[in-house]
Amino acid sequence: MLTPRSSPLKQTSRYNAPISTGTIINPEITESSGLTASKCQPDVLWTHNDSGDDAFIYAIRKSGEPLGTWKVTGAGNTDWEDIAGYKDSAGKCFLYIGEIGDNASRRTEHSIYRLAEPMVTPEDSTSTRQRSRETVSAEVLRFSYPDSNHNSETLLIEPKAANIYVVTKRVSGPAGVYRIKSEFGGEKSVEAEKVADISMPAIPNGFVTGGDISPDGKRVIICDYAAAYEFTLPENSRNFDDIWKQTPVSIDVGKRKIGEAVTYAPDGSSLILTSEGKNSPVIEVKLNQSF
């Protein structure tokens, strides 16, 4: 397995040291490939397995305590790689799921599912894949890349304009950033627009496995197996895509077996991360308030 090496010279003091807040104890979560924190329900995290699972999403607490299992109606899972949350102007919360993995780079079309976030109740905690809850029917957006086929593991939702971003995973150069208009329900596939190439202070520099955009839209966190890297929008910028022109800083996120999932807390005050493998730790990295 290719493990990126992170540069210790560019780590930022913006964040405190990572701490473990718990362990994922749901035995059905074996590859926490994507993670997002609910913006409508306190202490609810949503995750999913990598390829090999059906179209299930799992709710957990930051402690790792299981909150329930939902089957996503109207969706399939060939290679789900990431999940992202979005809260609209009316206060309604949605989950976006990225059917964007393609290790062999053979797929000419990919899908993004959008669904209303399920409300979690105490009775849901005993649900399993065999006795799962059902979500509302998911909408689907199909897209292709304008240049070639790509493998991607990072799905981002910009909180103000609701634009979708997909970041490719590369071992031979910078990762590509592609923007997709949030146009669900159409029968035709849409073409993504490439807006940037980004490099992290790691080797290889485009080996991106997950990410998220902060709730205020001013920061982007990107992770690989070993570390996380944060881009910050210039203070006077009004164009979100200026963020990709910045040099990221490296963040110590602790030891993860195979790190593929990261999210901002709902208020942006910390990062939360998981790992693939059974009984993954849940790691939190809080902002340094004196920074």
Side-chain angles (χ1 to χ4, degrees):
M1 179 179 292
L2 184 62
T3 301
R5 292 174 290 159
S6 303
S7 167
L9 300 178
K10 296 183 180 180
Q11 287 190 359
T12 178
S13 58
R14 182 184 179 94
Y15 286 89
N16 295 325
I19 60 171
S20 175
T21 60
T23 301
I24 297 176
I25 61 175
N26 184 342
E28 295 181 333
I29 303 174
T30 58
E31 296 182 278
S32 180
S33 183
L35 186 71
T36 191
S38 172
K39 296 173 174 59
C40 284
Q41 303 176 85
D43 196 19
V44 173
L45 301 171
W46 293 98
T47 189
H48 59 82
N49 286 317
D50 207 332
S51 58
D53 199 1
D54 205 336
F56 291 104
I57 54 175
Y58 306 88
I60 60 173
R61 294 197 188 281
K62 197 166 60 174
S63 65
E65 175 189 348
L67 295 176
T69 301
W70 279 259
K71 180 73 175 291
V72 180
T73 303
N77 180 355
T78 300
D79 195 357
W80 286 8
E81 288 292 354
D82 206 1
I83 186 170
Y86 173 70
K87 187 175 184 178
D88 69 13
S89 58
K92 186 175 181 179
C93 281
F94 296 86
L95 298 177
Y96 291 64
I97 301 168
E99 173 64 273
I100 55 178
D102 185 13
N103 288 327
S105 296
R106 295 175 179 173
R107 302 172 68 181
T108 59
E109 187 178 85
H110 298 268
S111 299
I112 297 168
Y113 297 107
R114 180 177 69 181
L115 62 142
E117 179 183 332
M119 296 303 296
V120 177
T121 69
E123 292 74 22
D124 297 324
S125 63
T126 58
S127 59
T128 64
R129 285 195 292 240
Q130 290 186 337
R131 296 181 289 106
S132 66
R133 304 297 194 252
E134 299 284 331
T135 72
V136 298
S137 185
E139 300 174 281
V140 63
L141 186 160
R142 295 179 177 84
F143 76 95
S144 61
Y145 294 101
D147 39 22
S148 61
N149 300 335
H150 293 290
N151 179 38
S152 301
E153 297 188 5
T154 303
L155 176 71
L156 312 170
I157 310 298
E158 197 279 311
K160 295 183 179 179
N163 284 323
I164 300 168
Y165 290 84
V166 172
V167 184
T168 64
K169 178 183 179 183
R170 294 191 63 198
V171 298
S172 58
V177 180
Y178 294 82
R179 184 176 59 211
I180 307 166
K181 291 184 179 180
S182 190
E183 297 176 348
F184 286 81
E187 295 183 1
K188 294 183 178 180
S189 176
V190 302
E191 187 174 87
E193 176 187 3
K194 188 172 185 180
V195 295
D197 285 310
I198 57 172
S199 296
M200 274 59 66
I203 302 172
N205 62 339
F207 200 84
V208 174
T209 62
D212 195 19
I213 299 177
S214 63
D216 62 4
K218 296 180 179 180
R219 290 173 287 152
V220 171
I221 190 71
I222 295 291
C223 74
D224 60 20
Y225 288 158
Y229 314 94
E230 190 170 59
F231 295 77
T232 300
L233 189 68
E235 187 173 346
N236 297 322
S237 176
R238 296 184 180 181
N239 181 3
F240 175 77
D241 286 328
D242 287 342
I243 203 166
W244 310 118
K245 303 173 185 177
Q246 312 311 307
T247 300
V249 294
S250 179
I251 299 169
D252 177 13
V253 293
K255 294 183 178 181
R256 298 174 297 153
K257 185 177 180 181
I258 306 176
E260 290 200 359
V262 61
T263 184
Y264 284 100
D267 61 357
S269 65
S270 67
L271 304 172
I272 305 170
L273 305 97
T274 57
S275 173
E276 291 195 353
K278 289 185 177 181
N279 304 123
S280 163
V282 181
I283 297 171
E284 184 171 32
V285 189
K286 294 184 178 181
L287 276 171
N288 186 341
Q289 298 302 317
S290 62
F291 186 81

